[in-house]
Amino acid sequence: MTALDEPVTETVATAKRVGPWRLFFPSALLLAPLNVLLWLAARDGLIAPAGIESAAWHGAEMLFGYSFAVIAGFLLQPMRWPPLLLLWFAWLAGRLLWLVPEWPVTIRLTLAGAFPFVLAALGAYRFAAVKRARNLPFPLILVALGVAAVGAGSVQAGLLPAPGRDPVALAVYVVVALIALMGGRLVPTATVGALRAQGLIVRIPPRPALELALLLALLALALADAAGAQRVAGFTALGLAALFVAQMRDWHGLRTLVDPEVWPLHAGFLWLTAGCVLTGLDRLGMLTLPDSGALHALSAGTIGTVTLVMMLRVTRHRAGGRVAPAVLLHGLHILFALAVALRVAGGWMLPGHRGLVLWWSAAAWLVVYVLAAALVIPAARRAPV
């Protein structure tokens, strides 16, 4: 077992400590639709707060706000209320900075970076305490996430030179690396369990060499994009897609379609593969996908799909009992896949209706996250059993 496989159980005996997921999962589920609606409303001139009409603000909040909240809820062990609330307020302060644009850059960067660095330190400590060589990449990736959050803010503030690619887009690769590493272990485990429930006994052996190759290829892609080496980035992204196909080959994905907590994990890796293909074709000049389609395949498709299903799975494991009937969960994930598909390819397929496609995608996104919040929040409010 890895540190990720070990369940975090809350019981009456540990009632003085609370699972961070109880605060951070509902916060992430409420932030995601609010961020998209605020950005689209500002972009279309329906509201006029300074700064939030930019795609950079939208992307940074979804990455460093939403994704980091999910990571905190998933990774952090139960803790007492005072430090948990302090950590949550650090997260919230970073999300509200757009309300006070006149604050000095140093204060803004401090508030924006406080939560990512504390999360990176706590997460790295958890994996370091396990003392397993195979877990070594986790603390390194978590530290890289903290650095990426502050680095992206510093570039946007003009304190650091701009890389060859948007720093928030580069930070997506770091979160994707964490998703790929976690998912590369969790998807086989979840699949074996789901198939066993169907009476099928399968074995999906670990492939550490492939895992290492994936991480190195992701690092190479990030470095090539940062340096503006388009052709290198293109061929690296296509090679990365081939590695993900090789990883998924033995995962029995089609056999999991009856389980609404497992097939979406496979779908997340399909989006990851598609995102790498689209990125490769884009960097090689072979395909121009508008509205950052390749980036959204990786962010909304991969990160969004995997984080959503993980919040629902973790809520079930830690609160006890399935959070919703299977048919509702199936519908939720199908609607989410439709929202992502509209965001990735809608501007390409309907170039004359870009704004309308964005609002269609946002509407589906809103329904998914409101329903997910309605499932998770009551479970988060229940006392440990």
Side-chain angles (χ1 to χ4, degrees), residues 10 18-19 21-23 25-26 29 311-324 371-385:
E10 297 172 67
V18 63
W21 69 272
R22 294 178 181 272
L23 269 182
F25 284 179
L29 290 169
M311 281 190 283
L312 294 171
R313 283 178 61 89
V314 168
T315 297
R316 177 173 66 85
H317 284 297
R318 299 183 187 177
R322 175 163 278 176
V323 296
L371 285 175
L375 297 174
V376 170
I377 290 175
R381 294 180 60 189
R382 288 202 299 266
V385 294

Side-chain angles (χ1 to χ4, degrees), residues 82-147:
L84 176 57
L85 286 174
L86 185 63
L87 186 62
W88 183 79
F89 278 117
W91 174 85
L92 183 64
R95 312 289 64 79
L96 298 179
L97 284 175
W98 62 275
L99 295 173
V100 282
E102 67 277 5
W103 280 6
V105 171
T106 52
I107 293 179
R108 295 177 65 82
L109 282 178
T110 299
L111 291 176
F115 175 74
F117 266 113
V118 172
L119 173 61
L122 292 175
Y125 174 78
R126 178 185 174 189
F127 284 108
V130 176
K131 296 181 180 179
R132 292 184 179 133
R134 196 182 175 207
N135 286 334
L136 179 60
F138 284 108
L140 298 177
I141 293 174
L142 288 167
V143 170
L145 284 175
V147 173

Side-chain angles (χ1 to χ4, degrees), residues 54-335:
S54 71
W57 175 82
H58 161 62
E61 284 303 301
M62 290 304 297
L63 192 66
F64 304 128
Y66 167 82
S67 296
F68 278 34
V70 178
I71 292 170
F74 181 62
L75 286 184
L76 299 183
Q77 300 278 14
M79 59 181 68
R80 295 184 181 275
W81 272 111
L84 176 57
L85 286 174
L86 185 63
L87 186 62
W88 183 79
F89 278 117
W91 174 85
L92 183 64
R95 312 289 64 79
L96 298 179
L97 284 175
W98 62 275
L99 295 173
V100 282
E102 67 277 5
W103 280 6
V105 171
T106 52
I107 293 179
R108 295 177 65 82
L109 282 178
T110 299
L111 291 176
F115 175 74
F117 266 113
V118 172
L119 173 61
L122 292 175
Y125 174 78
R126 178 185 174 189
F127 284 108
V130 176
K131 296 181 180 179
R132 292 184 179 133
R134 196 182 175 207
N135 286 334
L136 179 60
F138 284 108
L140 298 177
I141 293 174
L142 288 167
V143 170
L145 284 175
V147 173
V150 176
S154 299
V155 170
Q156 292 172 352
L159 300 179
L160 291 176
R165 186 70 52 178
D166 179 357
V168 175
L170 294 175
V172 167
Y173 293 140
V174 185
V175 179
V176 165
L178 183 62
I179 294 289
L181 187 60
M182 290 165 49
R185 302 180 186 186
L186 290 170
V187 175
T189 302
T191 299
V192 169
L195 295 183
R196 184 178 293 119
Q198 300 177 37
L200 301 173
I201 305 300
V202 299
R203 181 176 180 271
I204 305 177
R207 304 176 71 180
L210 181 58
E211 186 178 274
L212 178 60
L214 287 167
L215 292 178
L216 292 177
L218 274 167
L219 175 61
L221 176 57
L223 293 175
D225 252 357
Q230 295 279 82
R231 291 184 63 82
V232 174
F235 286 118
T236 303
L238 293 178
L240 187 57
L243 289 175
F244 281 118
V245 170
Q247 183 185 47
M248 292 186 292
R249 183 186 59 194
D250 300 324
W251 279 3
H252 305 279
L254 292 177
R255 291 183 173 183
T256 68
L257 291 178
V258 299
D259 194 319
E261 291 187 346
V262 180
W263 73 256
L265 292 173
H266 291 264
F269 274 78
L270 289 176
W271 280 118
L272 180 49
T273 305
C276 290
V277 171
L278 293 174
T279 298
L281 296 177
D282 175 76
R283 301 299 187 269
L284 294 173
M286 300 172 65
L287 174 68
T288 301
L289 200 63
D291 298 330
S292 302
L295 179 63
H296 280 88
L298 294 174
S299 55
T302 301
I303 299 173
T305 300
V306 175
T307 53
L308 179 63
V309 70
M310 286 310 303
M311 281 190 283
L312 294 171
R313 283 178 61 89
V314 168
T315 297
R316 177 173 66 85
H317 284 297
R318 299 183 187 177
R322 175 163 278 176
V323 296
V327 64
L328 177 57
L329 294 179
H330 280 299
L332 200 68
H333 292 299
I334 291 171
L335 184 58

